[in-house]
Amino acid sequence: MSQKAFIRSVGRFLPERRLTNQDLETMVDTSDGWIVSRTGIRERRILGPGLGNSFMAVRAAQECLERAGVSAAEIDAIVVGTVTPDMFFPSTACLVQRALRADAAWGFDLSAGCSGFVFALTTAAQMIEAGRYQKVLVIGSDVMSSIIDYEDRNTCVLFGDGAGAVLLEACPEPGYGILDFIQRIDGAGGEFLHMKAGGSLRPASLETVQRKEHYVFQEGRQVFKFAVTEMAEVSARILEKNGLTGADLKLFIPHQANLRIIDASAKRMGIDPQKVVINIDRYANTTAGTIPLCLYDALVQDKRLAKGDYLVMSAFGAGFTWGSVLIRWWE
Protein backbone atom coordinates (compact mmCIF):
# COMPACT_ATOMS: atom_id res chain seq x y z
CA MET A 1 0.00 0.00 0.00
CA SER A 2 1.40 3.41 -1.00
CA GLN A 3 2.23 5.96 1.64
CA LYS A 4 -0.48 8.49 2.42
CA ALA A 5 0.00 12.19 2.96
CA PHE A 6 -1.08 13.70 6.26
CA ILE A 7 -1.57 17.25 7.47
CA ARG A 8 1.25 17.97 9.88
CA SER A 9 0.55 21.64 10.57
CA VAL A 10 -1.77 24.55 9.81
CA GLY A 11 -1.49 28.32 9.67
CA ARG A 12 -3.70 31.24 8.74
CA PHE A 13 -3.86 34.94 8.07
CA LEU A 14 -6.89 37.19 8.51
CA PRO A 15 -6.86 40.92 7.75
CA GLU A 16 -7.63 43.17 10.69
CA ARG A 17 -10.35 45.23 9.03
CA ARG A 18 -13.89 43.97 9.58
CA LEU A 19 -16.70 44.87 7.17
CA THR A 20 -19.97 44.20 9.00
CA ASN A 21 -23.48 43.82 7.66
CA GLN A 22 -24.26 47.17 9.27
CA ASP A 23 -21.45 48.72 7.24
CA LEU A 24 -22.93 47.27 4.06
CA GLU A 25 -26.33 48.74 4.93
CA THR A 26 -24.77 52.17 4.35
CA MET A 27 -23.30 51.10 0.99
CA VAL A 28 -26.05 49.16 -0.81
CA ASP A 29 -29.75 48.39 -0.47
CA THR A 30 -29.55 45.50 2.00
CA SER A 31 -30.01 44.75 5.69
CA ASP A 32 -28.34 42.72 8.39
CA GLY A 33 -31.48 40.60 8.81
CA TRP A 34 -31.67 39.80 5.10
CA ILE A 35 -27.99 38.82 4.87
CA VAL A 36 -28.03 36.66 8.01
CA SER A 37 -31.27 34.84 7.13
CA ARG A 38 -30.12 33.95 3.61
CA THR A 39 -26.40 33.35 4.08
CA GLY A 40 -25.50 33.17 7.78
CA ILE A 41 -22.89 35.92 7.33
CA ARG A 42 -22.49 38.71 9.88
CA GLU A 43 -19.10 40.18 8.95
CA ARG A 44 -16.10 39.61 6.70
CA ARG A 45 -12.42 40.61 6.68
CA ILE A 46 -10.99 43.01 4.09
CA LEU A 47 -7.31 43.28 3.17
CA GLY A 48 -5.82 46.76 3.34
CA PRO A 49 -4.97 48.80 0.24
CA GLY A 50 -1.65 48.17 -1.48
CA LEU A 51 -1.45 44.56 -0.30
CA GLY A 52 -1.93 41.50 -2.51
CA ASN A 53 -2.74 37.83 -2.20
CA SER A 54 0.88 36.84 -1.57
CA PHE A 55 0.96 39.05 1.54
CA MET A 56 -1.68 36.82 3.14
CA ALA A 57 -0.39 33.56 1.71
CA VAL A 58 3.14 34.15 3.00
CA ARG A 59 1.94 34.89 6.52
CA ALA A 60 -0.32 31.84 6.65
CA ALA A 61 2.60 29.71 5.42
CA GLN A 62 4.98 31.21 7.99
CA GLU A 63 2.69 30.33 10.87
CA CYS A 64 2.18 26.85 9.46
CA LEU A 65 5.94 26.21 9.30
CA GLU A 66 6.54 27.72 12.73
CA ARG A 67 3.94 25.40 14.29
CA ALA A 68 5.63 22.42 12.67
CA GLY A 69 9.16 23.50 13.57
CA VAL A 70 10.09 23.18 9.90
CA SER A 71 12.32 25.61 8.02
CA ALA A 72 11.40 26.99 4.61
CA ALA A 73 14.59 25.41 3.25
CA GLU A 74 13.05 21.97 3.82
CA ILE A 75 10.01 22.60 1.60
CA ASP A 76 9.98 20.66 -1.68
CA ALA A 77 6.95 22.25 -3.36
CA ILE A 78 4.29 24.93 -2.92
CA VAL A 79 0.76 24.68 -4.34
CA VAL A 80 -1.48 27.74 -4.05
CA GLY A 81 -5.21 27.52 -4.67
CA THR A 82 -6.45 30.96 -5.71
CA VAL A 83 -8.44 32.96 -8.25
CA THR A 84 -7.05 36.32 -7.12
CA PRO A 85 -3.28 36.17 -7.69
CA ASP A 86 -1.22 39.31 -7.26
CA MET A 87 -0.83 39.25 -11.05
CA PHE A 88 -1.20 36.76 -13.91
CA PHE A 89 2.49 35.94 -13.70
CA PRO A 90 4.68 35.21 -11.94
CA SER A 91 2.50 32.85 -9.94
CA THR A 92 1.57 33.44 -6.32
CA ALA A 93 3.59 30.30 -5.54
CA CYS A 94 6.69 32.01 -6.94
CA LEU A 95 6.09 35.08 -4.80
CA VAL A 96 5.56 32.93 -1.71
CA GLN A 97 8.67 30.88 -2.44
CA ARG A 98 10.81 33.98 -2.69
CA ALA A 99 9.38 35.62 0.44
CA LEU A 100 9.85 32.45 2.49
CA ARG A 101 13.31 31.82 1.00
CA ALA A 102 12.23 28.28 0.23
CA ASP A 103 15.16 27.89 -2.14
CA ALA A 104 14.69 24.17 -2.81
CA ALA A 105 10.98 24.41 -3.64
CA TRP A 106 9.14 24.61 -6.94
CA GLY A 107 5.42 25.23 -7.25
CA PHE A 108 2.41 26.57 -9.06
CA ASP A 109 -1.03 28.15 -8.66
CA LEU A 110 -4.19 26.12 -9.11
CA SER A 111 -7.43 27.80 -10.22
CA ALA A 112 -10.63 26.02 -9.20
CA GLY A 113 -12.70 28.77 -7.60
CA CYS A 114 -14.00 27.87 -4.18
CA SER A 115 -12.78 24.29 -4.69
CA GLY A 116 -9.22 25.59 -5.02
CA PHE A 117 -7.99 24.34 -1.67
CA VAL A 118 -9.39 20.80 -1.92
CA PHE A 119 -8.08 20.47 -5.49
CA ALA A 120 -4.66 21.77 -4.39
CA LEU A 121 -4.67 19.51 -1.32
CA THR A 122 -5.35 16.33 -3.29
CA THR A 123 -2.86 17.31 -5.98
CA ALA A 124 -0.17 17.80 -3.36
CA ALA A 125 -1.16 14.57 -1.59
CA GLN A 126 -0.50 12.62 -4.77
CA MET A 127 2.93 14.25 -5.04
CA ILE A 128 3.68 12.86 -1.57
CA GLU A 129 2.18 9.45 -2.40
CA ALA A 130 4.38 9.18 -5.49
CA GLY A 131 7.37 9.25 -3.17
CA ARG A 132 9.05 12.13 -4.99
CA TYR A 133 8.49 14.77 -2.30
CA GLN A 134 8.65 14.84 1.49
CA LYS A 135 7.21 18.24 2.39
CA VAL A 136 4.65 20.18 0.37
CA LEU A 137 2.99 23.45 1.39
CA VAL A 138 -0.64 23.84 0.33
CA ILE A 139 -2.18 27.30 0.58
CA GLY A 140 -5.73 28.51 -0.03
CA SER A 141 -5.75 32.29 -0.29
CA ASP A 142 -8.05 34.83 -1.92
CA VAL A 143 -8.50 38.60 -1.86
CA MET A 144 -12.10 38.56 -3.04
CA SER A 145 -12.56 42.23 -2.21
CA SER A 146 -10.31 42.98 -5.19
CA ILE A 147 -12.86 41.59 -7.68
CA ILE A 148 -16.14 42.48 -5.97
CA ASP A 149 -18.41 45.34 -7.02
CA TYR A 150 -19.50 47.01 -3.78
CA GLU A 151 -22.48 48.50 -5.61
CA ASP A 152 -23.82 45.01 -6.40
CA ARG A 153 -25.82 43.86 -3.40
CA ASN A 154 -26.09 40.32 -4.80
CA THR A 155 -22.37 39.64 -4.50
CA CYS A 156 -20.78 42.19 -2.16
CA VAL A 157 -22.45 40.71 0.92
CA LEU A 158 -21.06 37.23 0.26
CA PHE A 159 -17.29 37.48 0.14
CA GLY A 160 -14.32 38.28 2.33
CA ASP A 161 -10.51 37.97 2.34
CA GLY A 162 -8.38 35.37 4.11
CA ALA A 163 -5.74 32.67 3.77
CA GLY A 164 -4.98 29.28 5.26
CA ALA A 165 -2.01 26.94 4.80
CA VAL A 166 -1.20 23.32 5.60
CA LEU A 167 2.01 21.31 5.49
CA LEU A 168 1.76 17.84 3.99
CA GLU A 169 4.19 15.03 4.73
CA ALA A 170 4.17 11.26 4.32
CA CYS A 171 2.23 9.63 7.14
CA PRO A 172 4.49 7.31 9.18
CA GLU A 173 1.63 4.96 10.05
CA PRO A 174 -0.62 3.07 7.59
CA GLY A 175 -4.36 3.73 7.61
CA TYR A 176 -4.12 7.45 8.40
CA GLY A 177 -3.89 10.70 6.47
CA ILE A 178 -5.65 11.68 3.26
CA LEU A 179 -7.40 8.41 2.42
CA ASP A 180 -9.56 9.25 -0.58
CA PHE A 181 -11.08 12.02 -2.66
CA ILE A 182 -13.70 12.66 -5.33
CA GLN A 183 -13.30 15.65 -7.67
CA ARG A 184 -15.62 16.89 -10.42
CA ILE A 185 -15.95 19.75 -12.90
CA ASP A 186 -18.71 20.85 -15.25
CA GLY A 187 -17.85 23.71 -17.59
CA ALA A 188 -21.53 24.31 -18.35
CA GLY A 189 -21.70 26.17 -15.05
CA GLY A 190 -19.32 28.86 -16.21
CA GLU A 191 -22.10 31.08 -17.50
CA PHE A 192 -23.59 31.33 -14.01
CA LEU A 193 -20.46 32.26 -12.06
CA HIS A 194 -17.50 33.99 -13.68
CA MET A 195 -15.43 37.11 -14.20
CA LYS A 196 -15.94 38.03 -17.84
CA ALA A 197 -12.93 40.23 -18.61
CA GLY A 198 -9.24 40.39 -17.84
CA GLY A 199 -8.13 37.27 -19.68
CA SER A 200 -7.02 36.69 -23.27
CA LEU A 201 -10.59 36.56 -24.61
CA ARG A 202 -11.53 40.00 -23.27
CA PRO A 203 -8.35 41.87 -22.31
CA ALA A 204 -8.69 44.90 -20.08
CA SER A 205 -9.93 47.96 -21.93
CA LEU A 206 -11.83 51.15 -21.20
CA GLU A 207 -14.98 49.34 -22.34
CA THR A 208 -14.51 46.32 -20.04
CA VAL A 209 -13.85 48.59 -17.07
CA GLN A 210 -16.87 50.77 -17.76
CA ARG A 211 -19.08 47.67 -18.05
CA LYS A 212 -17.73 46.35 -14.74
CA GLU A 213 -16.60 43.12 -16.38
CA HIS A 214 -13.64 42.74 -14.02
CA TYR A 215 -15.93 41.92 -11.10
CA VAL A 216 -17.51 38.63 -10.07
CA PHE A 217 -20.77 37.86 -11.84
CA GLN A 218 -23.04 35.33 -10.17
CA GLU A 219 -26.52 34.10 -11.01
CA GLY A 220 -27.28 33.14 -7.47
CA ARG A 221 -30.29 30.89 -7.93
CA GLN A 222 -28.61 28.64 -10.48
CA VAL A 223 -25.43 28.39 -8.44
CA PHE A 224 -27.35 27.65 -5.25
CA LYS A 225 -29.46 24.97 -6.92
CA PHE A 226 -26.46 23.14 -8.34
CA ALA A 227 -24.32 23.56 -5.23
CA VAL A 228 -26.95 22.18 -2.87
CA THR A 229 -27.35 19.06 -4.98
CA GLU A 230 -23.77 18.32 -5.97
CA MET A 231 -21.87 19.29 -2.84
CA ALA A 232 -24.27 17.26 -0.73
CA GLU A 233 -24.02 14.29 -3.09
CA VAL A 234 -20.23 14.20 -3.24
CA SER A 235 -20.01 14.59 0.54
CA ALA A 236 -22.26 11.57 1.06
CA ARG A 237 -20.60 9.60 -1.73
CA ILE A 238 -17.11 9.76 -0.20
CA LEU A 239 -18.48 8.14 2.95
CA GLU A 240 -20.38 5.43 1.08
CA LYS A 241 -17.35 4.68 -1.09
CA ASN A 242 -15.27 3.99 2.02
CA GLY A 243 -17.85 2.04 4.00
CA LEU A 244 -18.53 4.83 6.48
CA THR A 245 -21.59 6.71 7.68
CA GLY A 246 -22.16 10.12 9.21
CA ALA A 247 -21.94 8.50 12.64
CA ASP A 248 -18.30 7.60 11.95
CA LEU A 249 -17.29 11.21 11.31
CA LYS A 250 -15.78 13.45 13.96
CA LEU A 251 -16.02 16.57 11.81
CA PHE A 252 -17.44 17.82 8.54
CA ILE A 253 -15.56 20.82 7.11
CA PRO A 254 -17.57 22.31 4.24
CA HIS A 255 -16.85 25.27 2.02
CA GLN A 256 -18.36 28.36 3.64
CA ALA A 257 -20.50 29.82 0.85
CA ASN A 258 -23.98 29.71 2.30
CA LEU A 259 -25.34 28.30 5.54
CA ARG A 260 -28.26 26.64 3.75
CA ILE A 261 -25.90 24.75 1.43
CA ILE A 262 -23.89 23.61 4.45
CA ASP A 263 -27.04 22.43 6.24
CA ALA A 264 -28.25 20.54 3.17
CA SER A 265 -24.92 18.74 2.81
CA ALA A 266 -24.84 17.76 6.48
CA LYS A 267 -28.40 16.45 6.28
CA ARG A 268 -27.59 14.39 3.18
CA MET A 269 -24.65 12.85 5.04
CA GLY A 270 -26.78 12.11 8.08
CA ILE A 271 -24.50 13.81 10.55
CA ASP A 272 -25.14 15.68 13.77
CA PRO A 273 -25.06 19.47 13.22
CA GLN A 274 -22.62 19.70 16.13
CA LYS A 275 -20.03 17.96 13.94
CA VAL A 276 -20.15 20.67 11.27
CA VAL A 277 -17.42 23.32 11.39
CA ILE A 278 -18.85 26.76 10.61
CA ASN A 279 -17.20 30.17 10.58
CA ILE A 280 -19.10 31.81 7.72
CA ASP A 281 -20.66 34.21 10.21
CA ARG A 282 -17.23 35.73 10.97
CA TYR A 283 -15.34 35.47 7.69
CA ALA A 284 -17.96 35.05 4.92
CA ASN A 285 -16.87 33.27 1.73
CA THR A 286 -13.10 33.56 1.37
CA THR A 287 -13.15 31.23 -1.67
CA ALA A 288 -10.04 29.00 -1.49
CA GLY A 289 -9.44 30.15 2.08
CA THR A 290 -12.60 28.83 3.72
CA ILE A 291 -11.67 25.20 4.36
CA PRO A 292 -8.16 25.74 5.76
CA LEU A 293 -9.53 28.54 7.95
CA CYS A 294 -12.16 26.14 9.28
CA LEU A 295 -9.50 23.47 9.85
CA TYR A 296 -7.45 26.00 11.81
CA ASP A 297 -10.45 26.80 14.01
CA ALA A 298 -11.17 23.12 14.65
CA LEU A 299 -7.58 22.06 15.30
CA VAL A 300 -5.83 25.02 16.89
CA GLN A 301 -8.54 27.07 18.56
CA ASP A 302 -11.11 24.45 19.53
CA LYS A 303 -8.87 21.34 19.66
CA ARG A 304 -11.59 19.14 18.17
CA LEU A 305 -9.35 16.60 16.41
CA ALA A 306 -7.45 13.64 17.82
CA LYS A 307 -5.64 10.68 16.32
CA GLY A 308 -8.00 8.32 14.51
CA ASP A 309 -10.77 10.86 13.93
CA TYR A 310 -12.41 10.84 10.51
CA LEU A 311 -13.25 14.10 8.80
CA VAL A 312 -14.61 15.09 5.41
CA MET A 313 -13.86 18.32 3.58
CA SER A 314 -16.05 19.33 0.67
CA ALA A 315 -16.34 22.33 -1.61
CA PHE A 316 -18.18 23.76 -4.58
CA GLY A 317 -17.00 26.58 -6.80
CA ALA A 318 -16.92 28.41 -10.11
CA GLY A 319 -16.39 26.28 -13.15
CA PHE A 320 -18.43 24.52 -11.88
CA THR A 321 -15.96 22.63 -9.69
CA TRP A 322 -16.68 20.47 -6.67
CA GLY A 323 -15.16 17.71 -4.60
CA SER A 324 -14.76 15.96 -1.27
CA VAL A 325 -11.79 14.62 0.68
CA LEU A 326 -11.76 11.91 3.36
CA ILE A 327 -9.08 12.17 6.05
CA ARG A 328 -8.26 10.03 9.05
CA TRP A 329 -6.36 12.27 11.43
CA TRP A 330 -2.87 11.35 12.51
CA GLU A 331 -1.07 13.38 15.15
Side-chain angles (χ1 to χ4, degrees):
M1 184 171 62
S2 65
Q3 62 182 353
K4 297 295 184 182
F6 84 104
I7 296 173
R8 176 172 172 182
S9 179
V10 298
R12 74 173 184 184
F13 178 82
L14 291 164
E16 291 185 10
R17 182 190 169 194
R18 289 174 165 84
L19 182 67
T20 67
N21 291 349
Q22 288 76 18
D23 294 328
L24 287 171
E25 288 177 343
T26 69
M27 299 165 62
V28 292
D29 181 17
T30 191
S31 70
D32 174 65
W34 188 92
I35 297 170
V36 172
S37 65
R38 286 163 176 78
T39 68
I41 300 167
R42 296 185 182 276
E43 64 178 32
R44 66 286 294 144
R45 300 295 183 94
I46 304 295
L47 188 64
L51 302 175
N53 191 323
S54 64
F55 179 87
M56 300 196 306
V58 166
R59 281 149 183 80
Q62 287 172 331
E63 182 185 1
C64 179
L65 294 178
E66 288 170 5
R67 287 186 175 278
V70 170
S71 73
E74 299 177 69
I75 300 302
D76 298 308
I78 302 167
V79 186
V80 181
T82 188
V83 292
T84 54
D86 287 27
M87 58 199 80
F88 273 158
F89 57 88
S91 69
T92 310
C94 282
L95 303 178
V96 171
Q97 180 269 340
R98 183 185 182 191
L100 294 177
R101 297 183 179 179
D103 295 336
W106 71 286
F108 54 91
D109 290 359
L110 189 156
S111 176
C114 296
S115 303
F117 179 77
V118 295
F119 278 29
L121 183 71
T122 54
T123 298
Q126 291 172 88
M127 295 164 68
I128 297 287
E129 289 175 9
R132 298 291 299 272
Y133 305 97
Q134 282 71 52
K135 292 178 171 61
V136 182
L137 263 177
V138 181
I139 304 169
S141 181
D142 271 303
V143 187
M144 293 305 294
S145 63
S146 67
I147 56 171
I148 293 299
D149 178 5
Y150 284 93
E151 294 181 351
D152 178 7
R153 67 173 185 171
N154 294 315
T155 56
C156 73
V157 304
L158 302 176
F159 296 96
D161 304 337
V166 301
L167 175 63
L168 293 191
E169 295 184 7
C171 190
E173 187 174 350
Y176 295 86
I178 298 171
L179 301 182
D180 199 6
F181 63 90
I182 301 171
Q183 315 281 35
R184 298 283 186 269
I185 65 171
D186 183 354
E191 65 178 292
F192 304 120
L193 180 53
H194 61 260
M195 187 172 73
K196 183 176 289 187
S200 59
L201 180 63
R202 292 183 63 81
S205 67
L206 179 61
E207 179 185 57
T208 62
V209 172
Q210 289 177 335
R211 292 183 178 180
K212 297 187 174 183
E213 293 178 352
H214 296 268
Y215 293 128
V216 170
F217 168 83
Q218 176 171 282
E219 193 170 315
R221 290 183 181 178
Q222 290 293 336
V223 174
F224 178 83
K225 179 180 178 181
F226 204 96
V228 166
T229 302
E230 298 301 335
M231 188 167 139
E233 179 61 27
V234 79
S235 300
R237 176 62 185 140
I238 196 77
L239 292 178
E240 295 165 4
K241 183 181 174 186
N242 289 275
L244 300 171
T245 69
D248 298 309
L249 279 190
K250 179 63 181 292
L251 292 178
F252 174 47
I253 302 181
H255 170 55
Q256 308 286 299
N258 183 296
L259 195 56
R260 291 183 291 173
I261 296 174
I262 294 171
D263 290 343
S265 298
K267 184 176 180 180
R268 173 70 177 82
M269 297 168 73
I271 65 173
D272 187 323
Q274 297 300 315
K275 296 181 177 181
V276 183
V277 181
I278 296 173
N279 61 20
I280 189 173
D281 55 319
R282 290 171 285 151
Y283 310 138
N285 182 353
T286 55
T287 304
T290 67
I291 288 179
L293 287 174
C294 279
L295 179 62
Y296 187 100
D297 285 351
L299 181 65
V300 178
Q301 294 192 321
D302 301 329
K303 304 186 186 308
R304 298 176 67 183
L305 285 170
K307 183 177 180 180
D309 288 342
Y310 285 102
L311 65 143
V312 166
M313 301 174 174
S314 67
F316 181 90
F320 290 136
T321 64
W322 67 102
S324 59
V325 183
L326 175 65
I327 298 173
R328 191 178 185 203
W329 200 256
W330 189 90
E331 197 169 41

